[in-house]
Amino acid sequence: MSRIGLSDLDVFPLSLGGNVFGWTADHDTSLAILDAHAAGGGNFIDTSDSYMAAAPGKKGGESETLIGEWFTSRGSRDATVIATKVSRHPEFPGLSAANIQAAADASLARLQTDRIDLYYAHFEDPETPLEETAAAFDAVVRAGKVRYTALSNFSPANIEAYLAICTANGYALPVALQPHYNLVHRNDFEDHLAPIAEREHLGVMPYYALASGFLTGKYRSTTDNAGAVRSKAAARYATPQGLAIVDALEEIGRAHDASIATTALAWLLAKPTIVAPIASASRVEQVADLLAVGRVTLSPEEVARLDAVSAWTPPAS
């Protein structure tokens, strides 16, 4: 188990992404994936009130609803750390105080629980002062509806400002960040967010940990898996450097009897502040590869090799 920042939340070092529940994983498949995750030792689930809102015929919150059904039918709530997010649900857009209160209540109802373990501000809201947002998150913590708060998709400057507001006013400090970070998207996090996370002891849960599936190795060209939902997003990484990264992951993985995906997740876990990469499964058989990261530790030499092959170099002028 790994601890999230300065909280008392201990989690398996892989967070199961709920972004596919009710979308590429239907009702029964979603529950079966959750069952397999728990049976394999997983205890950390990541979702959002806005997941599925953009899908045809959906209104947002479907992922939370499925997880809530699973909690109740399996009696698994107390054994699970649940993270969800606010700011993008069509009925609850933004980070105003009234919106955070209403959105938290709606998430609690869908999740069929009395508390959210980790509550993220999903995206910045330029229309609402950070002071109002920080006070509102503090209020839901004080009310017992939320145990800990966190930030996702915030700029370094606004993370710093938010932390300063919380410190000055005695508000609940965020314990975690959720950035876009993986072997083919490194610099935004490493150059700008990692120093803040290290200094402030923030736990980091990277999303797109497998680069929309590219770091599973199933996209070896721009036309591979062309019918897959995420094929366009993944195939854009099929550059010479991207394919060299996959080749290195495959070779290193063989030494650990691990898949390309597991090895990519293990590289993330080798980095300071990373607590649990977020990765999703649309089929039950994919869950084992995700959970396998709990048994794989890369050597310093293997991490250095992946660092080198994935390093960004500026184009020649």
Side-chain angles (χ1 to χ4, degrees):
M1 292 291 173
S2 301
R3 178 152 292 192
I4 299 176
L6 296 176
S7 76
D8 64 357
L9 300 173
D10 292 320
V11 296
F12 187 88
L14 182 285
S15 182
L16 182 67
N19 58 316
V20 298
F21 298 153
W23 180 37
T24 56
D26 63 18
H27 174 278
D28 290 349
T29 302
S30 297
L31 297 186
I33 288 168
L34 288 162
D35 284 340
H37 175 249
N43 76 327
F44 191 16
I45 301 170
D46 180 89
T47 187
S48 170
D49 67 354
S50 65
Y51 286 163
M52 305 310 105
K58 307 293 185 180
K59 60 183 181 180
E62 286 83 0
S63 173
E64 289 182 328
T65 298
L66 282 166
I67 294 166
E69 179 183 336
W70 181 75
F71 281 155
T72 299
S73 63
R74 302 330 193 238
S76 55
R77 175 63 186 97
D78 289 344
T80 307
V81 173
I82 183 69
T84 193
K85 311 177 189 78
V86 56
S87 82
R88 285 295 181 93
H89 191 285
E91 295 178 23
F92 308 107
L95 294 171
S96 69
N99 192 71
I100 289 169
Q101 178 69 54
D105 288 342
S107 286
L108 288 167
R110 285 189 293 265
L111 289 166
Q112 299 185 40
T113 185
D114 61 353
R115 79 278 184 197
I116 296 165
D117 296 309
L118 191 63
Y119 201 34
Y120 286 95
H122 199 171
F123 285 87
E124 295 181 2
D125 175 8
E127 304 302 317
T128 302
L130 283 175
E131 291 82 358
E132 179 179 345
T133 297
F137 272 99
D138 182 69
V140 291
V141 171
R142 292 181 185 275
K145 298 177 181 182
V146 169
R147 294 185 64 194
Y148 296 99
T149 65
L151 304 174
S152 178
N153 299 299
F154 270 49
S155 70
N158 278 340
I159 293 171
E160 297 274 23
Y162 191 97
L163 292 169
I165 290 165
C166 290
T167 300
N169 291 279
Y171 296 156
L173 282 160
V175 299
L177 299 178
Q178 188 175 128
H180 182 182
Y181 182 43
N182 57 51
L183 268 164
V184 293
H185 187 100
R186 291 177 53 185
N187 293 76
D188 287 346
F189 174 73
E190 291 180 0
D191 293 349
H192 306 294
L193 298 177
I196 300 172
E198 290 196 57
R199 186 189 73 228
E200 301 295 336
H201 306 289
L202 297 168
V204 176
M205 272 63 72
Y207 68 84
Y208 289 155
L210 294 175
S212 299
F214 176 73
L215 294 174
T216 65
K218 63 183 178 182
Y219 300 93
R220 300 290 185 132
S221 78
T222 55
T223 57
D224 282 353
N225 295 279
V229 172
R230 297 185 180 185
S231 62
K232 186 174 181 180
R236 65 192 173 97
Y237 296 117
T239 63
Q241 183 181 34
L243 297 175
I245 291 168
V246 171
D247 288 343
L249 286 168
E250 187 171 38
E251 184 177 336
I252 291 169
R254 280 196 210 102
H256 295 271
D257 192 24
S259 70
I260 292 169
T262 302
T263 309
L265 295 172
W267 176 84
L268 282 168
L269 281 176
K271 297 299 177 179
T273 75
I274 305 300
V275 174
I278 301 166
S280 56
S282 294
R283 303 190 307 275
V284 173
E285 55 267 29
Q286 295 171 332
V287 175
D289 260 2
L290 304 184
L291 294 177
V293 74
R295 65 165 179 82
V296 175
T297 300
L298 302 184
S299 70
E301 293 76 19
E302 290 167 334
V303 173
R305 179 181 174 191
L306 290 170
D307 287 349
V309 73
S310 62
W312 180 81
T313 54
S317 57

